[in-house]
């Protein structure tokens, strides 16, 4: 596991910004924290990047605990904050040298700066001051500084907000490219962004996790009218379940557990029960998932 959050809560004064948030992100995943403004995304990211202590719970990054080994965590994490705080008067290269210095890269610094300029597509712009760059290029500088110490985990807080459509496509492409080598967690409030870049989505609202699933499944959820979770005594042919009237799609969740997406709002549990009987299966558990998840999702895709 690359990043493990275990029952993380954060309270600002009276306000609960995160409420028992747990997730595990594997090495090599590109995961999204998807949620509306105020959901707690930035707070969670600051905690992972060791910029803010949690009120309770634990976070581990590459096996280092953020509370006990912040320096080790910082070596393993690259962080692009929400409002990318760049020194506008500095030249791109000068700034990257400065950051390399902060990480104590020594002789390797120069090489890394050159590599990052190349990787993030800054070659034509690196002689300018940061203040003279477009927002898209400033984000590239932000990515370059986040990557300079070759961290294993990259935390990108709303990396595409405020970009024009062309820049948006380019930065997403760049993040996807980087995601081939690194674990990436990015925050966004746009589902299309998740679909374009991430293979995993964690939906967060009012400090709580509402859903955590592969991107394709959340897309299904968005289209479906309802979700039923069913467990049988043995594995079932997915194609067979899909033939039940009113079912849109089925995803295998465990050896004998299935998440069933329905087309209509009609309760299809009796149909699934019938299906089990006809196929000599024992239905161990069946549960209609609450609608709230779907509603949260709708809000987000408005
Ligand atoms: P998001 O990034 O999803 O928009 P944030 O993590 O920034 O959400 O904020 C979560 C909640 O915590 C919000 O209600 C916000 O107003 C509150 N909050 C964030 N930072 C602070 C702070 N420094 N002091 C008090 N409240 C804060
Ligand atoms: Mg935020």
């Amino acid at each position: 596991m690359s990043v493990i959050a275990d029952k993380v809560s954060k309270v600002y004064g009276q306000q609960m910004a995160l409420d028992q948030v747990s997730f595990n992100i594997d090495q090599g995943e590109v995961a999204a924290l998807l949620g509306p403004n105020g959901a707690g995304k930035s707070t969670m990211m600051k905690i992972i990047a060791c910029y803010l202590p949690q009120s309770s719970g634990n976070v581990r990054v590459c096996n280092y605990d953020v509370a006990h080994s912040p320096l080790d965590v910082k070596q393993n994490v690259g962080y692009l904050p929400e409002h990318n705080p760049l020194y506008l008067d500095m030249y791109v290269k000068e700034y990257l040298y400065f950051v390399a210095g902060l990480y104590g890269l020594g002789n390797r610094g120069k090489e890394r700066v050159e590599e990052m300029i190349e990787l993030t597509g800054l070659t034509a712009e690196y002689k300018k001051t940061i203040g003279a760059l477009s927002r898209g290029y400033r984000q590239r500088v932000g990515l370059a500084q986040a990557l300079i110490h070759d961290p294993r985990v990259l935390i990108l807080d709303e990396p595409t907000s405020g970009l024009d459509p062309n820049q948006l496509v380019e930065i997403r492409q760049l993040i996807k490219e980087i995601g081939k080598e690194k674990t990436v967690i990015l925050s966004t409030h746009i589902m299309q962004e998740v679909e374009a870049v991430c293979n995993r989505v964690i939906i967060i609202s009012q400090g709580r996790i509402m859903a955590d699933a592969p991107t394709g499944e959340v897309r299904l959820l968005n289209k479906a009218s309802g979700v039923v979770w069913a467990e049988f005594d043995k594995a079932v042919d997915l194609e067979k379940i899909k033939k039940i009237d009113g079912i849109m799609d089925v995803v295998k969740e465990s050896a004998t557990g299935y998440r069933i997406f329905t087309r209509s709002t009609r309760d299809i549990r009796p149909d699934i029960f019938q299906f089990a009987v006809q196929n000599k299966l024992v239905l161990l558990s069946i549960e209609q998932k609450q609608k709230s998840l779907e509603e949260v999702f709708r809000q987000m895709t408005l």
Side-chain angles (χ1 to χ4, degrees), residues 9-301:
S9 295
K10 177 71 188 179
V11 185
Y12 294 109
Q14 298 286 318
Q15 179 159 15
M16 189 89 164
L18 293 174
D19 186 3
Q20 305 254 333
V21 168
S22 299
F23 55 76
N24 295 336
I25 294 172
D26 273 332
Q27 182 79 34
E29 274 193 286
V30 179
L33 282 183
L34 175 68
N37 277 335
K41 304 181 297 293
S42 295
T43 301
M44 190 65 229
M45 296 185 128
K46 284 176 198 162
I47 293 170
I48 299 171
C50 278
Y51 278 79
L52 188 74
Q54 68 271 36
S55 306
S56 63
N58 296 300
V59 177
R60 294 180 76 79
V61 180
C62 300
N63 262 329
Y64 294 109
D65 189 298
V66 295
H68 303 125
S69 316
L71 292 179
D72 292 311
V73 171
K74 285 188 179 181
Q75 280 302 332
N76 282 286
V77 171
Y79 174 48
L80 176 62
E82 188 169 19
H83 305 290
N84 186 6
L86 297 166
Y87 295 99
L88 300 183
D89 294 336
M90 274 183 152
Y91 291 92
V92 172
K93 216 169 184 177
E94 180 190 13
Y95 172 69
L96 293 176
Y97 274 126
F98 166 70
V99 179
L102 293 180
Y103 282 105
L105 295 186
N107 293 336
R108 248 182 82 226
K110 185 170 160 29
E111 203 179 302
R112 286 297 295 169
V113 169
E114 301 295 341
E115 282 170 17
M116 290 308 100
I117 285 174
E118 164 105 42
L119 175 75
T120 57
L122 281 165
T123 310
E125 304 280 307
Y126 77 83
K127 288 182 179 153
K128 295 185 181 170
T129 60
I130 294 170
L133 299 179
S134 67
R135 171 130 178 92
Y137 276 94
R138 287 186 198 184
Q139 282 304 75
R140 289 172 195 259
V141 177
L143 283 168
Q145 67 78 27
L147 285 163
I148 199 137
H149 57 303
D150 200 16
R152 286 196 276 173
V153 177
L154 202 57
I155 306 288
L156 309 174
D157 198 353
E158 307 227 12
T160 61
S161 81
L163 299 184
D164 71 34
N166 287 334
Q167 295 171 339
L168 196 81
V169 171
E170 287 171 15
I171 295 289
R172 283 180 184 165
Q173 192 53 41
L174 183 53
I175 294 170
K176 256 167 81 172
E177 213 42 54
I178 294 165
K180 289 179 186 162
E181 311 246 306
K182 317 249 173 220
T183 305
V184 179
I185 307 178
L186 65 83
S187 68
T188 176
H189 52 271
I190 308 162
M191 184 57 195
Q192 288 90 312
E193 176 134 310
V194 178
E195 297 199 9
V197 186
C198 307
N199 51 28
R200 161 99 175 269
V201 51
I202 298 169
I203 300 180
I204 178 168
S205 176
Q206 296 183 349
R208 294 210 185 98
I209 294 203
M210 310 302 289
D212 179 348
T215 305
E217 237 176 85
V218 174
R219 193 184 305 130
L220 272 177
L221 181 66
N222 191 28
K223 281 199 215 134
S225 303
V227 189
V228 172
W229 193 87
E231 182 166 24
F232 303 95
D233 62 332
K234 47 182 178 279
V236 187
D237 184 353
L238 289 184
E239 292 309 316
K240 266 192 176 172
I241 311 183
K242 280 186 202 168
K243 289 209 177 98
I244 302 174
D245 194 34
I247 286 181
M248 195 175 84
D249 212 333
V250 182
V251 173
K252 190 168 172 148
E253 287 250 304
S254 64
T256 56
Y258 300 86
R259 199 192 279 262
I260 301 169
F261 298 88
T262 69
R263 233 178 238 123
S264 71
T265 46
R266 177 174 66 85
D267 188 355
I268 59 143
R269 284 176 297 176
D271 306 64
I272 295 171
F273 182 79
Q274 280 300 328
F275 167 83
V277 172
Q278 281 161 11
N279 289 277
K280 298 196 170 53
L281 297 160
V282 179
L283 190 57
L284 297 176
S285 160
I286 187 156
E287 191 186 337
Q288 181 97 39
K289 290 286 180 185
Q290 81 240 43
K291 200 98 170 72
S292 69
L293 204 156
E294 219 192 310
E295 278 158 15
V296 167
F297 189 78
R298 283 251 161 76
Q299 284 171 11
M300 245 161 266
T301 48

